[in-house]
Amino acid sequence: MVKSIFSAKILLFGEYGIIKNSSGLSIPHNFYKGCLKFYKKKEIIYHNSNYIIKKYCDFLYILEKKNILKELDLNKLYKDIQKGLFFHSNIPQGYGIGSSGALVAAIYNKYAKNKIKYFHNNIIVLKKIFSKMEYFFHEKSSGIDPLICYLNFPLFIRSEKEIYKIKIPNNKKNGIGAIFLLNSGITKKTNYMINFFLKKFKHQTFKKILKEEFMEYNKKCIEAFLKEDFKILLKNVKKLSIWVFKHLRPMIPKNICKIWEEGLFNNIYYLKLCGSGGGGFILGFTPNYDISIKKLKKYTTEIIFRF
């Protein structure tokens, strides 16, 4: 089940909600993936990846000394770094689809002293380990991204302690409707976006409407998607899109704001955040993909699900 190649992930629903114990739905995205390899001396292009893993190893040593994380054989990892270990990946960094999550999953898979495989009761244990490991990259991490990359199957997050393997609807190859990725062309800064959100969450008014509106729309989106009721799905995605445009606009890249708003007016497509926002990929939902890409012809899009 757990392989040495680790796919990217897409959080279809639940951005920011899962930080506050709300529901989410995350799926692997196998077009993008990565694995650990050793480079030869002439392959200078991989030196930066090796350097990052070395810095990451130093961080993991600190966690070990503090008795925060003791599951990894860091001496073996350090020796392999000296031999030229790097992460060979086509997952774009800063795009919200789990570049750090895949690396964390790969490190755990290769260097865990007693590797935990999938059993339902082990999901939360794995999530806690990955949350600690990914802190190096995002400071605050739910652990969901590495978990998806490691297990490589869709997960339904009901709450922090209720996470289940789930079967999603079949991808209809000839469907005219689609869920797609839209490339903003801007690298995101995850820490900045999360801190912005947490600062807003301190205000009681925002906290109230997040729980009563955003989380409710999000929940209905998940339910509709799993029931294959795509008409209801699009209706609630539009509500999510409006809500984010109104309350979290700084998280929408400036070059996307106009087409985001146009989608809400023309009802041809709806856009939502893919992960923390601020750049990277944006998620799109449309009843007719062919019409949508004509409207979005200036942007690179990629279908991830047809209906």
Side-chain angles (χ1 to χ4, degrees):
M1 183 186 305
V2 179
K3 300 178 181 179
S4 57
I5 297 176
F6 297 90
S7 298
K9 63 82 204 181
I10 294 175
L11 185 63
L12 281 183
F13 305 103
E15 67 279 7
Y16 292 106
I18 60 172
I19 296 177
K20 296 302 175 182
N21 208 28
S22 183
S23 57
L25 180 64
S26 191
I27 62 172
H29 186 40
N30 296 319
F31 179 79
Y32 298 104
K33 59 193 72 175
C35 64
L36 292 169
K37 286 187 176 183
F38 291 93
Y39 67 79
K40 298 176 183 178
K41 290 183 179 179
K42 293 181 181 180
E43 296 176 311
I44 300 174
I45 188 173
Y46 301 124
H47 287 196
N48 186 57
S49 176
N50 176 262
Y51 175 76
I52 290 171
I53 295 176
K54 182 181 181 302
K55 287 290 186 182
Y56 183 43
C57 184
D58 293 340
F59 167 79
L60 294 174
Y61 267 123
I62 293 171
L63 294 187
E64 186 178 72
K65 287 178 181 177
K66 291 182 177 180
N67 291 318
I68 296 172
L69 185 73
K70 304 184 76 172
E71 284 82 3
L72 303 175
D73 186 344
L74 298 181
N75 291 330
K76 182 183 177 183
L77 172 57
Y78 183 78
K79 288 177 183 178
D80 284 349
I81 291 168
Q82 303 306 306
K83 295 176 184 176
L85 184 75
F86 77 100
F87 192 55
H88 186 65
S89 169
N90 70 342
I91 307 172
Q93 295 181 23
Y95 268 68
I97 60 170
S99 59
S100 64
L103 173 57
V104 167
I107 295 289
Y108 177 84
N109 181 64
K110 188 170 178 65
Y111 299 101
K113 295 174 185 176
N114 297 294
K115 188 164 57 178
I116 299 173
K117 295 185 179 180
Y118 168 72
F119 298 103
H120 175 68
N121 293 336
N122 289 339
I123 280 188
I124 302 303
V125 177
L126 278 167
K127 177 179 175 291
K128 288 180 179 178
I129 292 170
F130 289 141
S131 177
K132 295 171 186 176
M133 289 179 68
E134 201 180 28
Y135 187 91
F136 174 79
F137 299 99
H138 297 314
E139 292 187 5
K140 185 173 179 61
S141 168
S142 66
I144 292 294
D145 287 5
L147 188 65
I148 283 284
C149 298
Y150 182 67
L151 298 175
N152 197 38
F153 53 63
L155 290 178
F156 170 51
I157 304 106
R158 181 169 286 164
S159 68
E160 287 181 358
K161 297 183 179 180
E162 293 181 285
I163 303 173
Y164 306 98
K165 176 184 176 182
I166 197 167
K167 184 178 180 181
I168 64 171
N170 292 326
N171 195 344
K172 294 179 175 59
K173 293 182 180 179
N174 297 321
I176 60 171
I179 302 173
F180 60 94
L181 293 175
L182 183 146
N183 191 338
S184 71
I186 301 171
T187 303
K188 68 199 313 182
K189 295 181 180 178
T190 301
N191 293 350
Y192 175 80
M193 290 295 116
I194 292 175
N195 290 334
F196 169 79
F197 172 80
L198 293 175
K199 188 177 288 187
K200 283 187 70 73
F201 196 76
K202 291 178 181 178
H203 298 282
Q204 290 303 315
T205 301
F206 179 79
K207 186 184 295 187
K208 184 174 185 292
I209 60 173
L210 182 83
K211 291 181 177 179
E212 293 179 356
E213 298 174 9
F214 180 85
M215 291 183 179
E216 191 61 27
Y217 303 150
N218 181 69
K219 180 182 176 182
K220 288 180 179 179
C221 282
I222 295 172
E223 291 173 352
F225 178 74
L226 295 177
K227 291 178 181 177
E228 300 186 55
D229 191 339
F230 297 110
K231 185 176 180 181
I232 296 298
L233 171 65
L234 290 168
K235 179 180 177 181
N236 283 285
V237 168
K238 181 177 182 179
K239 290 179 179 179
L240 273 179
S241 186
I242 292 171
W243 197 94
V244 171
F245 192 77
K246 181 178 180 181
H247 299 288
L248 297 175
R249 196 174 304 187
M251 294 179 172
I252 303 172
K254 290 181 179 179
N255 66 326
I256 300 297
C257 277
K258 184 178 179 181
I259 59 168
W260 188 298
E261 190 172 20
E262 287 174 355
L264 294 174
F265 280 109
N266 61 35
N267 292 307
I268 293 172
Y269 60 83
Y270 306 118
L271 301 180
K272 69 183 288 292
L273 300 178
C274 181
S276 61
F281 286 120
I282 301 294
L283 272 171
F285 295 74
T286 177
N288 192 310
Y289 181 70
D290 290 340
I291 294 176
S292 292
I293 57 173
K294 290 178 182 178
K295 291 285 185 180
L296 301 168
K297 59 185 177 182
K298 293 182 180 179
Y299 297 86
T300 301
T301 60
E302 173 192 340
I303 294 176
I304 57 173
F305 184 85
R306 279 194 180 271
F307 58 86

